């Protein structure tokens, strides 16, 4: 009987060892297949981190995994708990991270500092496979609490003692549990849409772009979450880098909605999300003064045209003096005033050949001149409009902008001395009409079109946009280092942009502002007829008076000359 009991125990022990060896082999093959699956699915360079924090428990199995010939083509980073993490040494967001815990009991309050720093360093959206003894509750609870504190959203625990997988959610809550090894594509799933009432924390230093606000609200709805605003995070700061440092230390903020430049960040303080719409800086300048009375008569033609006309008249008049018998009519009086001294039908062939083409030419020129004059009277053009950045730099016209948003504006070699600080406020839509204003491609044309920025007396906008763009850049949003929502932000922003929703929300914002602008500026006395008034014809009456005076003077001189000749 005693012999039978020993035999049964021996067989039981042998069966247990055989089962454990079989399970170890199955686990090894399954882990290799998972790594190979993600290596095939990853476009570009596949990077895998093998992190051993088992403190030597069953290291032989982990060593067998590392030496598997099926992983020879995989870029591997093999580290243990003594590895001191640093930027640039290992990837911030590897394609896959395999963490081997074994039977070691870890807890956030008692785990080594270097282990905590490693998980704090990794991107919260990394894929993690944690190999551990799922039968030991302390092992399971310890590593679960440590990873929950780091807010990873793609974690799966794989048992090393029994065939079991546990897909973990946020805050260390277990999700799907299986008693078999699922297909590799089903092993790691994001739990971000089951955030267990985890709110999206956000803030802003200045009033954010309206489409960005709507995008964040719709993203929260998509994730079955809600928003929580943290005000005054950057209150009292004097620079953007200081604000970024404060955001990093806050720890509970997922995104800041300002458009920022990536050069403001340190590598240890940020993740960034590029905005899908590039931002171009444009400058609005006041309209030049209207043409005066003299310019109204000289501007219809360029100085080259005037030179050709005067030289033509001078040449014909000179020919009439050199050859007195060539013309019976005075060329200038005939071409300019239409006064015919002698019937041109009876004139000589030479006079007809010379003057008839010139009459047609001057007829067309005078008609074009008259048309331009009427156009100038109806819609007075401006002189001195600034059209390039170089002209703006030479004009010494001050440029109003918020220098706190970008300190580099003051150091601009061309326009830096002209920059004047004007904090962003509620009256930013009102352009003062005296200074230039720095704007963006998102709002420049809209600001110019507002009724508050329209000159109803001259029937034109008060500002024009310089056609030359000052700069174009791709701006970013600050993303918290350990936020689990980074990939969701990227996905929803891309989808909403491709669907045209960002432009829709921008137009919606402009419609709301334009409606309020029309309501606030309805008491303006607008001349609706668009007809010429007496003031528009002032220059014409002035020319008529000058011509009449000249005629009287010439007439008087003729009488004087005749009197002395007698």
């Amino acid at each position: 009987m005693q012999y039978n009991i020993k035999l049964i125990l021996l067989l039981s022990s042998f069966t247990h060892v055989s089962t454990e060896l079989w399970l170890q082999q199955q686990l090894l093959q399954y882990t290799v297949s998972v790594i190979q699956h993600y290596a095939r699915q990853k476009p570009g360079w596949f990077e895998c981190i093998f992190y051993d924090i088992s403190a030597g428990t069953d290291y032989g199995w982990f060593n067998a995994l590392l030496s598997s010939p099926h992983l020879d083509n995989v870029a591997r980073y093999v580290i243990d708990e003594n590895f001191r993490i640093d930027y640039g040494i290992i990837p911030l967001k590897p394609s896959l991270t395999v963490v081997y815990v074994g039977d070691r009991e870890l807890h956030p309050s008692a785990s080594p500092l270097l282990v905590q720093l490693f998980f704090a360093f990794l991107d919260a959206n990394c894929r993690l496979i944690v190999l551990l003894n799922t039968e030991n509750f302390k092992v399971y609870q310890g590593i679960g609490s440590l990873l929950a504190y780091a807010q990873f959203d793609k974690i799966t625990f794989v048992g090393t003692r029994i065939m079991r997988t546990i897909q973990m959610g946020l805050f260390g809550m277990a999700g799907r549990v299986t008693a078999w090894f699922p297909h590799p594509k089903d092993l790691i799933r994001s739990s971000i849409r089951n955030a267990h009432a985890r709110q999206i924390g956000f803030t802003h230093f200045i009033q954010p772009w309206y489409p960005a606000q709507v995008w964040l609200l719709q993203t929260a709805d998509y994730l079955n979450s809600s928003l929580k605003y943290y005000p005054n995070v950057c209150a009292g700061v004097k620079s953007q880098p200081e604000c970024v440092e404060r955001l990093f230390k806050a720890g509970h903020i997922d995104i800041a909605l300002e458009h920022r430049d990536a050069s403001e960040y340190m590598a240890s303080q940020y993740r960034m999300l590029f905005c899908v719409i590039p931002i171009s800086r444009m400058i609005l300048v006041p309209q030049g003064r209207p043409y005066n009375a003299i310019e109204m008569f000289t501007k219809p033609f360029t100085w080259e045209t005037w030179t050709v006309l005067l030289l033509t008249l001078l040449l014909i008049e000179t020919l009439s003096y050199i050859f007195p018998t060539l013309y019976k009519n005075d060329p200038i009086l005939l071409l300019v005033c239409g006064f015919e001294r002698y019937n041109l039908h009876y004139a000589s062939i030479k006079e007809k050949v010379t003057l008839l083409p010139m009459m047609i030419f001057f007829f067309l020129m005078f008609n074009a001149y008259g048309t331009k004059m009427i156009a100038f009277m109806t819609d007075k053009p401006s002189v001195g409009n600034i059209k390039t950045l170089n002209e703006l730099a030479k004009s010494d016209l001050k440029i109003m902008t918020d220098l706190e948003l970008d300190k580099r504006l003051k150091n601009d070699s061309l326009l830096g001395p002209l920059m004047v600080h004007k904090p962003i406020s509620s009256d930013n839509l009102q352009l003062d009409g005296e200074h230039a204003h720095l704007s963006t491609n998102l709002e420049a044309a809209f600001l110019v079109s507002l009724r508050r920025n329209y000159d109803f007396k001259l029937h034109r906008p008060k500002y024009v946009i310089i056609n030359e763009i000052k700069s174009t850049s791709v701006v970013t949003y600050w993303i918290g280092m350990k936020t689990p929502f980074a990939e969701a932000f990227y996905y929803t922003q891309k989808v909403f942009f491709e669907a045209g929703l960002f432009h829709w929300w921008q137009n919606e914002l402009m419609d709301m502002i334009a409606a309020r602008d029309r309501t606030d500026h309805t008491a303006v006395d607008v001349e609706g007829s668009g007809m010429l008034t007496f003031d528009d014809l002032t220059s014409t009456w002035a020319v008529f008076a000058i011509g009449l005076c000249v005629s009287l003077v010439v007439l008087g001189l003729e009488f004087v000359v005749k009197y002395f000749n007698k």
Side-chain angles (χ1 to χ4, degrees):
M1 185 67 179
Q2 186 177 4
Y3 175 77
N4 292 336
I5 293 175
K6 290 182 178 179
L7 181 60
I8 291 173
L9 291 175
L10 181 61
L11 291 174
S12 176
S13 176
F14 178 77
T15 303
H16 176 73
V17 172
S18 299
T19 303
E20 187 173 349
L21 291 176
W22 176 82
L23 179 61
Q24 294 290 325
Q25 188 65 26
Q26 290 295 314
L27 178 61
L28 178 62
Q29 294 177 2
Y30 180 70
T31 306
V32 170
S33 68
V34 171
I35 297 173
Q36 289 178 321
H37 169 77
Y38 284 108
R40 288 191 300 267
Q41 298 297 319
K42 170 70 176 178
W45 189 253
F46 178 82
E47 297 173 310
C48 184
I49 294 179
F50 293 87
Y51 189 41
D52 179 25
I53 53 175
S54 63
T57 60
D58 198 13
Y59 183 76
W61 181 90
F62 193 65
N63 190 36
L65 174 63
L66 297 176
S67 58
S68 173
H70 299 289
L71 302 179
D72 289 343
N73 296 326
V74 174
R76 288 170 288 180
Y77 298 85
V78 182
I79 56 178
D80 60 15
E81 62 179 283
N82 297 316
F83 177 76
R84 186 174 296 275
I85 200 74
D86 196 5
Y87 290 87
I89 299 179
I90 64 173
L92 174 66
K93 188 178 181 181
S95 308
L96 183 65
T97 301
V98 180
V99 181
Y100 185 64
V101 179
D103 294 325
R104 185 177 183 183
E105 298 178 5
L106 293 168
H107 195 274
S109 60
S111 59
L113 178 61
L114 292 180
V115 174
Q116 299 182 40
L117 291 178
F118 173 80
F119 290 118
F121 165 84
L122 284 185
D123 191 297
N125 295 124
C126 287
R127 294 188 182 95
L128 268 70
I129 299 177
V130 182
L131 306 171
L132 74 163
N133 182 6
T134 55
E135 295 298 286
N136 189 325
F137 180 74
K138 291 184 178 179
V139 174
Y140 169 83
Q141 185 186 43
I143 189 63
S145 301
L146 184 62
L147 295 179
Y149 182 77
Q151 301 189 70
F152 290 100
D153 75 313
K154 299 187 185 75
I155 309 175
T156 298
F157 289 173
V158 180
T160 58
R161 299 298 181 185
I162 63 172
M163 191 175 292
R164 176 181 295 169
T165 64
I166 306 172
Q167 291 180 354
M168 303 298 293
L170 292 177
F171 308 113
M173 302 181 69
R176 182 189 179 201
V177 180
T178 65
W180 64 88
F181 291 150
H183 191 279
K185 69 181 179 64
D186 298 324
L187 179 63
I188 305 176
R189 295 286 184 88
S190 175
S191 59
I192 197 63
R193 296 199 66 185
N194 187 19
H196 303 288
R198 163 69 158 84
Q199 293 179 309
I200 300 176
F202 76 100
T203 188
H204 49 78
F205 184 58
I206 59 173
Q207 183 65 28
W209 186 35
Y210 174 76
Q213 301 179 55
V214 183
W215 157 60
L216 189 62
L217 179 62
Q218 296 299 324
T219 299
D221 291 341
Y222 168 74
L223 298 176
N224 300 313
S225 181
S226 59
L227 299 177
K228 185 174 183 179
Y229 174 59
Y230 292 94
N232 304 322
V233 177
C234 291
V237 299
K238 298 181 179 180
S239 65
Q240 289 291 342
E242 184 180 350
C243 178
V244 171
E245 183 178 358
R246 188 173 294 185
L247 289 171
F248 173 73
K249 292 180 179 179
H252 52 269
I253 297 175
D254 298 300
I255 185 172
L257 287 182
E258 293 89 10
H259 288 161
R260 300 172 181 269
D261 190 276
S263 61
E264 300 174 355
Y265 305 145
M266 294 177 58
S268 60
Q269 295 180 345
Y270 81 99
R271 284 189 299 171
M272 61 183 176
L273 176 65
F274 286 102
C275 180
V276 290
I277 300 178
I279 303 299
S280 297
R281 286 195 173 116
M282 311 177 78
I283 298 179
L284 312 180
V285 293
Q287 290 259 32
R289 61 173 178 80
Y291 283 169
N292 56 36
I294 296 176
E295 289 169 335
M296 288 281 287
F297 290 97
T298 59
K299 290 298 183 180
F301 291 153
T302 62
W303 67 268
E304 294 90 349
T305 305
W306 284 118
T307 303
V308 171
L309 293 176
L310 293 175
L311 288 178
T312 302
L313 294 174
L314 182 62
L315 178 60
I316 294 178
E317 190 68 23
T318 303
L319 288 175
S320 68
Y321 279 103
I322 296 175
F323 306 102
T325 60
L326 181 60
Y327 301 113
K328 292 185 177 182
N329 289 287
D330 186 284
I332 292 182
L333 289 177
L334 179 61
L335 297 176
V336 176
C337 303
F339 294 157
E340 191 177 46
R341 180 186 298 173
Y342 183 79
N343 195 332
L344 199 59
H345 293 286
Y346 300 104
S348 65
I349 297 178
K350 293 181 180 180
E351 186 172 354
K352 289 180 180 180
V353 171
T354 306
L355 294 181
L356 284 177
M358 298 303 299
M359 290 175 65
I360 297 174
F361 171 74
F362 276 92
F363 172 78
L364 296 175
M365 294 298 293
F366 289 154
N367 273 277
Y369 183 83
T371 303
K372 293 282 287 185
M373 280 292 299
I374 295 174
F376 285 176
M377 292 177 186
T378 306
D379 187 10
K380 292 184 178 63
S382 301
V383 63
N385 277 349
I386 298 173
K387 298 180 180 179
T388 65
L389 296 180
N390 286 327
E391 292 179 3
L392 177 61
K394 295 176 182 177
S395 70
D396 291 332
L397 185 66
K398 299 301 182 182
I399 305 172
M400 311 299 290
T401 184
D402 192 342
L403 296 176
E404 293 295 334
L405 300 181
D406 192 348
K407 295 291 187 180
R408 297 172 300 177
L409 291 173
K410 196 67 177 177
N411 300 324
D412 187 275
S413 59
L414 182 63
L415 302 176
L418 303 178
M419 297 290 179
V420 176
H421 178 61
K422 179 188 177 183
I424 292 180
S425 59
S426 57
D427 65 342
N428 270 23
L429 298 176
Q430 183 78 44
L431 304 179
D432 56 18
E434 299 178 359
H435 303 94
H437 292 263
L438 186 64
S439 184
T440 67
N441 58 317
L442 299 177
E443 60 182 9
F446 178 70
L447 287 176
V448 171
S449 68
L450 290 175
R451 291 172 64 94
R452 68 187 68 193
N453 299 321
Y454 189 81
D455 191 335
F456 290 94
K457 183 178 180 180
L458 297 177
H459 303 285
R460 65 179 189 180
K462 295 179 182 178
Y463 277 76
V464 294
I465 304 173
I466 295 180
N467 292 330
E468 191 175 348
I469 295 175
K470 183 185 182 300
S471 63
T472 299
S473 58
V474 179
V475 295
T476 64
Y477 299 104
W478 182 90
I479 301 293
M481 183 67 184
K482 295 305 295 181
T483 175
F485 300 108
E487 286 188 350
F489 291 151
Y490 169 79
Y491 172 74
T492 56
Q493 182 185 218
K494 178 183 68 173
V495 170
F496 291 161
F497 174 74
E498 292 176 352
L501 291 178
F502 275 92
H503 289 90
W504 173 272
W505 294 330
Q506 178 69 10
N507 293 334
E508 187 179 50
L509 170 65
M510 291 181 178
D511 290 342
M512 289 189 296
I513 296 176
R516 187 166 61 249
D517 181 67
R518 288 191 297 269
T519 303
D520 296 341
H521 296 81
T522 54
V524 180
D525 185 14
V526 181
E527 297 176 2
S529 63
M531 301 296 289
L532 288 175
T533 63
F534 185 85
D535 292 337
D536 296 325
L537 300 175
T538 301
S539 55
T540 306
W541 290 115
V543 170
F544 175 75
I546 293 171
L548 184 60
C549 293
V550 172
S551 299
L552 292 175
V553 170
V554 172
L555 181 61
L557 289 176
E558 287 185 357
F559 281 118
V560 171
V561 170
K562 287 182 179 181
Y563 176 79
F564 282 106
N565 286 338
K566 291 180 180 179

